[in-house]
C-alpha cells in the first residue's frame, strides 16, 4: 500500500493534522493502536488561537456546543485570597472566539473523528500497531500489525507525521531524544460531576501553596476538575473514595452534600517540561507530545500540538502539490520549537509560583505574581522566529510572525471565511490590475482594509501577506513592495 502521508496517532494532534491535510486535498492514512476514543478526560482547555484552528475546519460551532467559556485565571494564596487575576473574554475575542474554552477531550476527539468521515481523502485505521519505521531515497516504510488478527503489512508513504504521544515510537525511530527542562511534579487529577451549583468564579483557580498546591476549574455545565500536588508517599489510590477526597475539594464545594458529587475519575499524573532535540529526520516529523511536554498550568499542552498541525499541514500540502519548494518544510521546527519552548517556560513560571517553597517562593507569590504583565498569560502567544516563511525585520517591532486577527468584514463574514485556507494579501492600497492578476494567478485572495475598520487599524498602512495558518509572512509600507515577496514564495 502506498499513501502520500501516514499519521501515527489519532489523538487531537493527529486528527487535526489529518483534517487540515484533507482540507487541502491530500490523501493520508491515520494509524491508531486503540480501537476507539480513550473515554477518560485529559486535556480540558484551549484558547482562541487554537479555537481558530478548529474554525479553519468548519468546526467552530460544533466545538462551541461542547465547550464552556472560561473567564480567565486567578492566582490565590493558601487562604484562597486573590494574588493576581488574568482576565479572558468569555465573548468574542480578536480571533472571533472566546479567549479561553473548557471542554472534555473525548468529546473533542469524537468531533474530529466524525469530521474525518466526511473527508474522502482521509482514512482512519484503529487497532493498528506501528512496529517500525524506515526511510530510504523513495520515501518511508511503515510496518504495522493488526492487533485483532495479528496480520502484518508494510505501508509506503512520502511523509510520516509522528503524533503518537509522550512515549513516541516515531521519535525513537528517528533517534530524537527529549531534553529535560527541569520541571517534574506528581499531581492528583480529579474529575467530578454534579448538578449542584458550586457558586465559584467562572475561571481557573490556581492555589499557590508550597504545602499543597491546587487547581480548580469548571469544564462543563455539570463537570468540574481539581488538581492537587501529591505529597511524598501519596498515590491516587489514597483518594479513590469520596470520604478521602472530600476534605481536599470542600473549599470549593462547601456545604454541598457528598452524595450530590459523583467521582468521574481520580488519576495520578507526572507533570513534566521536556522538548525533543530535533523534530524532523528527512521525511519524518514529530508533532504534539511526541515533540514536547508542557506542564498544564497555563492550559497550553494540547493546544501546542494543534499549533504544530496547523503550522505543518499547509506547508506539506504545498510541497506535495508543487506550489511550495521542499525547503518550506525546513521552517516547521525553526518556527514551532522556539514558540513551544517559550510557552513551556511560561507554564513552568506559573508552576513555580504555585509550588515553590522558602523565601524565593514567597517573592514570586507576593511580589512577582501580582505585577506580572498581562501578556504573561494573555491569549496572544509569542511571534514566530524569522524563517524563509516569516520575513521579520532583524530590529524593531513588526506584525510579521504574529497572527492576523480574524476580523469581521463588511459582508458579515470573517477574514478566515474569505481566505478559505489560502494565502491572503491584506492591503490598504488600491491594487493595480497587474498586481491583482499576480495574486489571483497563485490562488491567493485579496482583502482590502476598506472592508473592515478593525483590519485597517491592525494593518495601519501598506500591505501584508497572511499565510494559510493566519500568520503574517511579510509586511510593507506598500503593496508594490509585497508582490515580489509573494511571487518568491509561491511558484
Amino acid at each position: 500500500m502506498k499513501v502520500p502521508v501516514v499519521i501515527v496517532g489519532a489523538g487531537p494532534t493527529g486528527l487535526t493534522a489529518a483534517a487540515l491535510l484533507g482540507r487541502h486535498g491530500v490523501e493520508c492514512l491515520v494509524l491508531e493502536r486503540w480501537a476507539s476514543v480513550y473515554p477518560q478526560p485529559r486535556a480540558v482547555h484551549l484558547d482562541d488561537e487554537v479555537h481558530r484552528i478548529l474554525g479553519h475546519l468548519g468546526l467552530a460551532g460544533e466545538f462551541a456546543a461542547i465547550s464552556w467559556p472560561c473567564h480567565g485565571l486567578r492566582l490565590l494564596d493558601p487562604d484562597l485570597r486573590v494574588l493576581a487575576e488574568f482576565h479572558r473574554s468569555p465573548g468574542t475575542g480578536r480571533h472571533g472566539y472566546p479567549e479561553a474554552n473548557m471542554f472534555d477531550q473525548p468529546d473533542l476527539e469524537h468531533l474530529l473523528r466524525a469530521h474525518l468521515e466526511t473527508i474522502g481523502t482521509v482514512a482512519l485505521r484503529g487497532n493498528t500497531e506501528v512496529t517500525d519505521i524506515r526511510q530510504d531515497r523513495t520515501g518511508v516504510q511503515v510496518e504495522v500489525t493488526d492487533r485483532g488478527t495479528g496480520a502484518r503489512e508494510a505501508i509506503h508513504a512520502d511523509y510520516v507525521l509522528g503524533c503518537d504521544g509522550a512515549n513516541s515510537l516515531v521519535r525513537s525511530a528517528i533517534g530524537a531524544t527529549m531534553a529535560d527542562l527541569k520541571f517534574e511534579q506528581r499531581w492528583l487529577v480529579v474529575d467530578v460531576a454534579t448538578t449542584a451549583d458550586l457558586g465559584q468564579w467562572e475561571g481557573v483557580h490556581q492555589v499557590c501553596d508550597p504545602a499543597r498546591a491546587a487547581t480548580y476549574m469548571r469544564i462543563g455545565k455539570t463537570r468540574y476538575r481539581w488538581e492537587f500536588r501529591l505529597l511524598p508517599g501519596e498515590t491516587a489510590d489514597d483518594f479513590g473514595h469520596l470520604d478521602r477526597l472530600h476534605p481536599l475539594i470542600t473549599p470549593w464545594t462547601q456545604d454541598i452534600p457528598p452524595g450530590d458529587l459523583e467521582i468521574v475519575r481520580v488519576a495520578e499524573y507526572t507533570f513534566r517540561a521536556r522538548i525533543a532535540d530535533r523534530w524532523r529526520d528527512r521525511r519524518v516529523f514529530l508533532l504534539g507530545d511526541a515533540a514536547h511536554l508542557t506542564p498544564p498550568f497555563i492550559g497550553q499542552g494540547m493546544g501546542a500540538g494543534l499549533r504544530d498541525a496547523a503550522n505543518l499541514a499547509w506547508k506539506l500540502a504545498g510541497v506535495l502539490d508543487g506550489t511550495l519548494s521542499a525547503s518550506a518544510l525546513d521552517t516547521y521546527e525553526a518556527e514551532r520549537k522556539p514558540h513551544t519552548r517559550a510557552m513551556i517556560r511560561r507554564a513552568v513560571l506559573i508552576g513555580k509560583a504555585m509550588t515553590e517553597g522558602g523565601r524565593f517562593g514567597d517573592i514570586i507569590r507576593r511580589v512577582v505574581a501580582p505585577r506580572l504583565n498581562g501578556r504573561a498569560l494573555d491569549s496572544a502567544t509569542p511571534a514566530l522566529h524569522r524563517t524563509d516563511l516569516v520575513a521579520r525585520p532583524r530590529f524593531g517591532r513588526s506584525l510579521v510572525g504574529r497572527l492576523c486577527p480574524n476580523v469581521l468584514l463588511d459582508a458579515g463574514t470573517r477574514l478566515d471565511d474569505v481566505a478559505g485556507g489560502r494565502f491572503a494579501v491584506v492591503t490598504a492600497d488600491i491594487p493595480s490590475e497587474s498586481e491583482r492578476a499576480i495574486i489571483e494567478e497563485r490562488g491567493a485572495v485579496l482583502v482590502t482594509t476598506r472592508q473592515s475598520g478593525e483590519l485597517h487599524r491592525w494593518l495601519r498602512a501598506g500591505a501584508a501577506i497572511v499565510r494559510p495558518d493566519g500568520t503574517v509572512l511579510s509586511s510593507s509600507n506598500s503593496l508594490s513592495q509585497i508582490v515580489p515577496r509573494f511571487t518568491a514564495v509561491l511558484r
Side-chain angles (χ1 to χ4, degrees):
M1 179 181 181
K2 182 171 174 33
V3 65
V5 180
V6 164
I7 297 172
V8 183
T13 298
L15 295 171
T16 300
L20 290 168
L21 286 167
R23 187 178 187 224
H24 290 285
V26 175
E27 183 182 357
C28 56
L29 173 64
V30 184
L31 303 174
E32 170 56 48
R33 72 186 305 270
W34 301 112
S36 59
V37 171
Y38 182 69
Q40 293 293 347
R42 285 153 290 154
V44 294
H45 170 269
L46 57 82
D47 63 19
D48 55 337
E49 292 185 354
V50 180
H51 196 161
R52 187 175 179 180
I53 296 170
L54 298 177
H56 290 165
L57 298 174
L59 298 176
E62 292 175 72
F63 177 72
I66 63 168
S67 61
W68 188 268
C70 174
H71 290 198
L73 178 144
R74 282 178 177 172
L75 301 184
L76 309 175
D77 71 8
D79 296 318
L80 304 190
R81 294 174 299 197
V82 178
L83 293 170
E85 180 175 321
F86 305 93
H87 181 73
R88 297 283 184 90
S89 171
T92 300
R94 62 185 173 279
H95 296 303
Y97 309 108
E99 292 180 339
N101 307 269
M102 314 305 292
F103 64 96
D104 189 16
Q105 183 173 330
D107 290 343
L108 175 61
E109 292 187 25
H110 281 297
L111 178 62
L112 289 168
R113 283 179 177 235
H115 179 66
L116 290 192
E117 292 178 358
T118 69
I119 304 174
T121 58
V122 178
L124 170 61
R125 187 188 298 183
N127 216 27
T128 302
E129 186 89 39
V130 175
T131 57
D132 194 20
I133 293 173
R134 296 193 300 272
Q135 295 191 70
D136 58 30
R137 289 178 297 176
T138 64
V140 190
Q141 184 164 297
V142 182
E143 302 286 344
V144 302
T145 300
D146 187 300
R147 299 179 72 220
T149 65
R152 297 180 180 180
E153 181 183 0
I155 301 170
H156 194 274
D158 294 321
Y159 295 94
V160 169
L161 308 187
C163 306
D164 52 339
N167 300 313
S168 171
L169 177 142
V170 178
R171 185 178 64 237
S172 298
I174 68 172
T177 59
M178 293 292 256
D180 189 351
L181 301 183
K182 310 302 181 184
F183 187 92
E184 184 170 315
Q185 294 180 352
R186 295 169 54 249
W187 282 66
L188 179 74
V189 178
V190 178
D191 289 278
V192 169
T194 180
T195 57
D197 183 6
L198 272 60
Q200 300 292 335
W201 179 69
E202 292 285 354
V204 178
H205 303 200
Q206 302 274 38
V207 182
C208 303
D209 184 356
R212 175 82 83 181
T215 305
Y216 157 83
M217 65 200 84
R218 184 174 188 171
I219 60 175
K221 187 175 182 180
T222 61
R223 291 285 298 278
Y224 301 86
R225 170 169 290 186
W226 284 268
E227 297 168 355
F228 300 95
R229 189 175 181 184
L230 287 167
L231 304 181
E234 290 182 336
T235 69
D237 292 340
D238 297 330
F239 301 94
H241 297 284
L242 196 56
D243 58 344
R244 290 294 309 276
L245 180 63
H246 195 251
L248 293 182
I249 65 175
T250 295
W252 292 273
T253 61
Q254 298 178 10
D255 57 355
I256 296 173
D260 291 347
L261 305 173
E262 176 191 353
I263 296 178
V264 176
R265 180 191 64 151
V266 176
E268 178 181 329
Y269 280 86
T270 300
F271 297 161
R272 295 184 172 94
R274 295 181 179 177
I275 193 164
D277 59 346
R278 58 193 180 103
W279 296 24
R280 179 190 182 188
D281 176 22
R282 292 166 287 170
R283 293 173 174 268
V284 179
F285 297 82
L286 302 179
L287 295 80
D289 285 357
H292 43 76
L293 296 174
T294 306
F297 305 113
I298 58 172
Q300 289 289 337
M302 190 203 76
L306 269 64
R307 294 178 200 273
D308 295 342
N311 185 286
L312 181 58
W314 68 272
K315 298 172 184 176
L316 189 54
V319 170
L320 286 167
D321 69 17
T323 57
L324 290 176
S325 165
S327 64
L329 299 178
D330 297 336
T331 67
Y332 166 64
E333 181 177 342
E335 292 174 4
R336 287 295 304 136
K337 190 174 183 180
H339 184 278
T340 303
R341 187 185 293 272
M343 299 305 289
I344 292 174
R345 284 173 174 164
R346 286 190 189 183
V348 169
L349 173 65
I350 298 304
K352 288 184 175 179
M354 292 175 63
T355 63
E356 196 76 34
R359 184 180 178 186
F360 178 66
D362 289 340
I363 290 173
I364 292 177
R365 286 183 286 277
R366 298 293 181 182
V367 179
V368 179
R371 290 167 174 78
L372 278 172
N373 188 308
R375 290 172 58 192
L377 286 169
D378 187 83
S379 66
T381 60
L384 299 182
H385 281 209
R386 181 183 176 91
T387 68
D388 288 347
L389 294 175
V390 178
R392 288 183 67 183
R394 297 194 181 276
F395 304 101
R397 291 182 59 82
S398 172
L399 300 175
V400 178
R402 303 182 185 278
L403 286 176
C404 174
N406 185 25
V407 300
L408 276 172
L409 303 178
D410 285 345
T413 57
R414 292 194 175 272
L415 178 65
D416 287 353
D417 300 324
V418 173
R422 299 170 290 173
F423 276 90
V425 176
V426 178
T427 180
D429 298 339
I430 299 175
S432 67
E433 288 303 315
S434 61
E435 290 169 338
R436 188 183 296 273
I438 289 171
I439 293 167
E440 292 177 353
E441 284 170 4
R442 284 162 175 77
V445 61
L446 181 67
V447 180
T448 67
T449 61
R450 289 172 295 171
Q451 295 174 261
S452 169
E454 185 180 354
L455 191 61
H456 185 79
R457 288 190 295 273
W458 167 79
L459 183 63
R460 294 190 293 275
I465 301 173
V466 180
R467 308 185 328 184
D469 60 0
T471 302
V472 178
L473 185 155
S474 181
S475 65
S476 177
N477 290 329
S478 71
L479 179 61
S480 61
Q481 294 175 339
I482 279 288
V483 170
R485 178 69 188 176
F486 187 67
T487 57
V489 172
L490 285 179
R491 295 176 172 178

